[in-house]
Amino acid sequence: TKYSTPVLGVVGVVERFSEEAILLTPCAEKRELRPIITSSEPQRIGQRKPTSTRTHRRRATDPLCAPRAHDRRQQKHRDPGSSTPESTLRETSTTATMSDMQPAIIRLNPTQYCHILDNNTNVTRVVIGPKTIARQDHELKVHGPDEMVLIPPRHYCIVKNPVKRDADGKVTLDDKLQVHLLYGEEEIRTEGAPFPLYPGEVLKLGPTALSIVPPQSALRLGAIRDFVQPGSDGGHIKRAAGDEWLFVGPATYTPRVEVSILDTIRATIVKPGTALRIRARQHMKDSSGTERQAGEEWLMRNAGAYLPGCYEIIEETVFPLVLTERRAIHMRAVRTFTDEYGVHRRAGEEWLLTIAECETHIQDVHEEVVNADLGICALTRSQYCIVRNPWDESGKQQMGRLELRRGEMQFFLKPGEELVGGKTKDVIVLAPDEALLLK
């Protein structure tokens, strides 16, 4: 068969005849197609066609039939004497494969962004939409397209490793146009325009609603580092790490990276006739301006809602003791103090509370109850008793003395007093013909 028409750029054309197949290969010298007669056996789909010795000879001598770049890379990778490491070849092959798989045109919506890696400078830049990007061969899309972070009103988010900004709020770059990151830091961002995440930034907490502090409650805050906080009067408050304070409601709390929320405190209602027993955790001033030492306790007797301070602990609610005409309370002072009625009490002193002083009594933190149900002693006209260690009218106890008390009368035994014989006695009634012999 004769082929007289020269064809350039044809790799090969296979025509199947009845007995043999002819492969047309280009020739660089005469610019014409040469027939190569191959085996006449039918070739299966997917089976590699055997290469003859003549084909290998032409590939070695003909420049148009030289091995392609892909074959040379495979041959170099298989060559054990090659100086290029296998890891470098693997990374280059992977990057090339990823770059080939990615689209050449990247379209970004107005609320989208993506990260483009420049393999020449190894710098990743941020591209913000709306924009259409024609990706270069040395560029690789490493992230996105993704939606920008949108913070609704009264919400916030936390970004880890934030970018560094100058005084005008612009992102700072180095000489290679790489953004500066504050590694290990966190930044709280509130409502505003949508923003992208720069390479290295991590959205630690997505958009979250701000905390609303209701009335009669507060947030106990603690400083985790030293910082200066703007004051309500226009000044500045210096906070040291470990300081605690209250954020009292009703208000909306905007968090800070230097502050952590330790607890939520709610007001306790103090009913009339009751009190709260409070203990100080450290040296402080209470709501009335009185200095308290660590571990000191006191009572809050004012009725209404009471919000304890950040260094105050409510131990319990103290209920009153009710006094009647036939019931008294025996009290003892634990330490020297001035009681609720303005009487100065010394440590260890005991006294009696009756209905003449008050109808209800709230036990103070510096006193203890010896007997909360002390009964009354009642003498009829035909009864009497002898009291040992009686108290005089000035309030002093007469130790060792005896006092005779006749009815009709009622009295409470004061601290230290006791009845001789332990009970009252009946008077002796003498008939006209009777008498008593006394010693």
Side-chain angles (χ1 to χ4, degrees), residues 72-93:
R72 289 196 302 268
R73 284 198 302 267
Q74 290 185 350
Q75 182 179 1
K76 188 175 182 180
H77 180 65
R78 292 192 299 266
D79 187 6
S82 176
S83 59
T84 305
E86 295 184 2
S87 59
T88 305
L89 294 174
R90 192 181 301 109
E91 293 177 0
T92 305
S93 177

Side-chain angles (χ1 to χ4, degrees), residues 101-162:
M101 294 175 59
Q102 293 182 358
I105 303 299
I106 303 175
R107 293 178 174 86
L108 299 177
N109 294 333
T111 59
Q112 290 182 334
Y113 73 99
C114 68
H115 295 172
I116 303 296
L117 171 63
D118 190 341
N119 289 322
N120 294 338
T121 61
N122 202 25
V123 174
T124 304
R125 73 178 190 274
V126 177
V127 181
I128 304 176
K131 196 172 185 180
T132 300
I133 309 169
R135 187 177 57 82
Q136 304 297 324
D137 293 339
H138 63 277
E139 294 179 342
L140 181 65
K141 178 175 66 66
V142 295
H143 179 75
D146 200 356
E147 295 291 332
M148 289 191 288
V149 181
L150 175 61
I151 305 178
R154 300 183 64 82
H155 285 67
Y156 74 99
C157 72
I158 301 178
V159 178
K160 187 178 180 180
N161 303 329

Side-chain angles (χ1 to χ4, degrees), residues 375-379 385 387 405 409-413 417 419 424:
I376 192 172
C377 295
L379 299 178
C385 67
V387 179
R405 297 178 183 179
M409 66 178 306
Q410 296 178 354
F411 63 93
F412 292 100
L413 288 176
E417 293 181 343
L419 294 177
T424 59

Side-chain angles (χ1 to χ4, degrees), residues 331-353 364 366-367 391 394-395:
M331 309 294 298
R332 180 188 296 121
V334 178
R335 56 175 297 182
T336 303
F337 75 107
T338 301
D339 63 8
E340 183 184 0
Y341 313 106
V343 181
H344 183 72
R345 305 291 185 182
R346 293 177 297 179
E349 182 181 350
E350 298 182 3
W351 69 97
L352 205 64
L353 285 178
D364 199 274
H366 305 302
E367 60 189 20
W391 291 67
S394 63

Side-chain angles (χ1 to χ4, degrees), residues 26 30 37 46 101 106 130 134 143 193 195 199 207 234 245 266 298 301 317 345 347 403 436:
K30 298 183 180 182
I37 300 177
M101 294 175 59
I106 303 175
H143 179 75
F195 62 90
W245 67 97
R266 301 187 181 277
W298 70 97
R301 304 174 184 269
T317 300
R345 305 291 185 182
E403 181 180 343
L436 290 176

Side-chain angles (χ1 to χ4, degrees), residues 212-214 217-221 246 261-266 307:
I212 300 177
V213 185
S217 61
L219 296 178
R220 186 163 67 94
L221 307 178
L246 293 183
I261 299 178
L262 303 179
D263 192 10
T264 300
I265 302 176
R266 301 187 181 277
L307 188 65

